[in-house]
Amino acid sequence: MEGIKISGTLTFRLTLWYAVLFIVLSLAVFFLFYITLSSNLTRRIDEELAEDANEIIPILESGRPEALREYIKEEEDPEDSEKEFFLVLSPGLEIMASTDLGSWNGLYPAPVFLMKLENGREVIKSVSLPGRENKIRVIYKKTSGGVIQKGMSLEDDEELLESLRSIFGTTAAVVLLSGSLFGWLMARRAMSGVERVRETAALIGRGDLSSRVPIGREGLEIENLALVFNEMLDKIEALVREIKEVTHNIAHDLRSPTTRIRGICETTLGSIPDADNCRDAFGTVINECDRLTGMINTLLEIAETEAGVAPLDKTSMDMNKLAVDAYELFHPVAEDKGVHLDLQSGEGPLTVKGDVARLQRAVANLLDNAIKYTPPGGRVILSVTGGPEHVILTVSDTGKGIDEKTLSRVFDRFYRGDESRSTPGNGLGLSLARALVAAHGGRIEVRSAPGKGSEFTILLPGEWPSG
Ligand code: ADP
């Protein structure tokens, strides 16, 4: 990942997102828990304060200060004198009785709001006293006999909440760190598939078309990405191979005629040129030029037809009629070679929507091959039938057949079977036939048994009368 800033990687961003999400969620959970706990603690203290204050009311209202002092003395726990206190004031807010207030500076004089407090009412407050680290919780209860104040230090509760906060802080930091590390490792593992795709693409960019992405186990999405990427690479590699072959073949096929043309001209120039010599030479040159032009035109036609830019003059046409025309055209050629050509037409008009001239060309290429690759005494059958969806035109022969290796490539541009090289041809006939048939929405199939013969079948979508 040279040259890539870590902060820009998806791995980093994913980790960061998860970390932020984790912090926000755990803070929310902790906050809820903390608030609930702290309000429960306060409520518990408030209940205790109210209970204690209520217990004094009857004694206070009995009008016997000694009894009150007695009660408070009994209630006082010297060990807890720093944690809770009792203070009872007269209706004029003078101290009537109290526990030891040595560590409760600031409780007296009584706060101003007590003057306004109605009889029978109570107020509970959290109060800070000078010299005390923690707040205290105090109940002020006013009765006709005076004001009862009972207070408790919040030290224990605050300590509990404080240790909770620090436990949460430490735990959150540890979990966050280990979670981020784990998240980072997981994200890196998941992203390693993408990284492998990038590495393979880089290798291909450097010209190694055979590289493929190793399939890992990061998850189906990444596996599928690698599979699709590899499939695409297979196609690209096949395409590049084909382009190389075609270019090589074009170069080869152009070189032979041009070398021949040059040779003829050289020989003619070197000899004592008379009119006959010149006529022969020019004749051969013209033939070679025609061959070249024909090849270039066929190549262009294949390319245009495959690209869908060749204009097709489609009409409703009867394939039976096309077969009859082709039969009549090729009958003399077959006869010359001593090959028996048969026609088996289908019943009734077998209509397709097609460009007559182009379909004639496709069928002619098949017939030409069948006669070319069938030795004298052999037989070629041209038949047309109607299938449920297609019009089927078959050209079968009893010729030399096609071996398995050749069979898979007969439709490739410039491909010629090894044994066919002695026969005239340029390896473009079947490519053109396939392109033309495909342009009509059909397909060509081939079956062959070496030594016994071959069968080429054109299937075209039929145009059946409705109903
Ligand atoms: P060409 O006939 O000019 O070589 P084609 O594209 O028409 O080119 O055919 C490609 C190859 O397919 C031929 O070279 C030949 O090897 C093989 N082939 C085509 N038709 C037949 C057939 N009927 N019998 C045997 N081989 C055939």
Side-chain angles (χ1 to χ4, degrees), residues 377-446:
R379 192 171 175 188
V380 173
I381 303 170
L382 169 62
S383 70
V384 192
T385 51
E389 288 170 25
H390 295 101
V391 173
I392 302 160
L393 185 143
T394 309
V395 176
S396 57
D397 63 60
T398 59
K400 59 187 179 121
I402 307 169
D403 61 65
E404 215 175 307
K405 179 183 137 228
T406 311
L407 198 62
S408 60
R409 305 202 53 194
V410 284
F411 294 106
D412 291 356
R413 257 169 268 199
F414 287 112
Y415 188 81
R416 307 202 68 205
D418 289 338
E419 292 171 21
S420 316
R421 298 203 189 274
S422 51
T423 328
N426 55 20
L428 292 175
L430 286 181
S431 315
L432 178 61
R434 185 178 64 172
L436 290 171
V437 171
H440 284 80
R443 63 177 195 274
I444 297 192
E445 289 170 0
V446 56

Side-chain angles (χ1 to χ4, degrees), residues 15 175-189:
T15 314
V175 174
L176 184 69
L177 269 179
S178 48
S180 299
L181 190 71
F182 183 70
W184 169 265
L185 290 176
M186 292 302 288
R188 262 188 62 140
R189 201 175 116 76

Side-chain angles (χ1 to χ4, degrees), residues 133-333:
E133 209 180 301
N134 303 95
K135 284 193 170 176
I136 59 168
R137 192 83 179 153
V138 188
I139 184 166
Y140 303 89
K141 179 109 190 172
K142 196 163 186 182
T143 70
S144 52
V147 180
I148 304 159
Q149 283 183 47
K150 160 98 196 205
M152 279 186 182
S153 163
L154 291 177
E155 191 181 340
D156 289 349
D157 290 357
E158 281 185 359
E159 266 171 16
L160 176 73
L161 292 174
E162 167 61 33
S163 58
L164 199 72
R165 280 198 300 270
S166 74
I167 287 173
F168 171 78
T170 324
T171 323
V174 171
V175 174
L176 184 69
L177 269 179
S178 48
S180 299
L181 190 71
F182 183 70
W184 169 265
L185 290 176
M186 292 302 288
R188 262 188 62 140
R189 201 175 116 76
M191 286 299 134
S192 66
V194 178
E195 179 54 17
R196 283 205 308 277
V197 174
R198 190 199 66 79
E199 278 166 8
T200 311
L203 279 177
I204 286 164
R206 278 181 233 128
D208 179 8
L209 265 182
S210 61
S211 292
R212 293 293 179 273
V213 184
I215 309 289
R217 287 165 163 261
E218 291 88 0
L220 272 181
E221 296 90 339
I222 304 284
E223 274 174 46
N224 283 341
L225 172 71
L227 282 174
V228 173
F229 193 74
N230 285 348
E231 269 172 29
M232 183 188 76
L233 291 179
D234 288 345
K235 292 236 166 69
I236 292 177
E237 196 184 9
L239 217 66
V240 170
R241 198 187 316 118
E242 198 185 321
I243 289 171
K244 276 188 189 157
E245 268 176 31
V246 169
T247 319
H248 174 265
N249 287 334
I250 290 179
H252 183 266
D253 280 50
L254 287 180
R255 199 170 46 193
S256 313
T258 41
T259 314
R260 269 200 300 276
I261 290 171
R262 194 182 179 284
I264 292 160
C265 294
E266 209 172 27
T267 323
T268 314
L269 272 180
S271 64
I272 306 140
D274 62 20
D276 283 347
N277 262 352
C278 285
R279 202 173 298 117
D280 283 355
F282 284 141
T284 320
V285 168
I286 288 172
N287 280 345
E288 290 296 339
C289 285
D290 285 351
R291 218 170 83 76
L292 268 177
T293 318
M295 197 175 81
I296 292 166
N297 285 344
T298 312
L299 258 180
L300 278 177
E301 195 174 347
I302 296 174
E304 282 176 5
T305 312
E306 279 182 352
V309 291
L312 293 181
D313 183 15
K314 283 191 182 174
T315 52
S316 286
M317 51 172 285
D318 179 11
M319 286 300 282
N320 269 329
K321 177 160 181 339
L322 183 138
V324 172
D325 291 347
Y327 172 78
E328 280 169 4
L329 193 70
F330 277 89
H331 193 254
V333 185

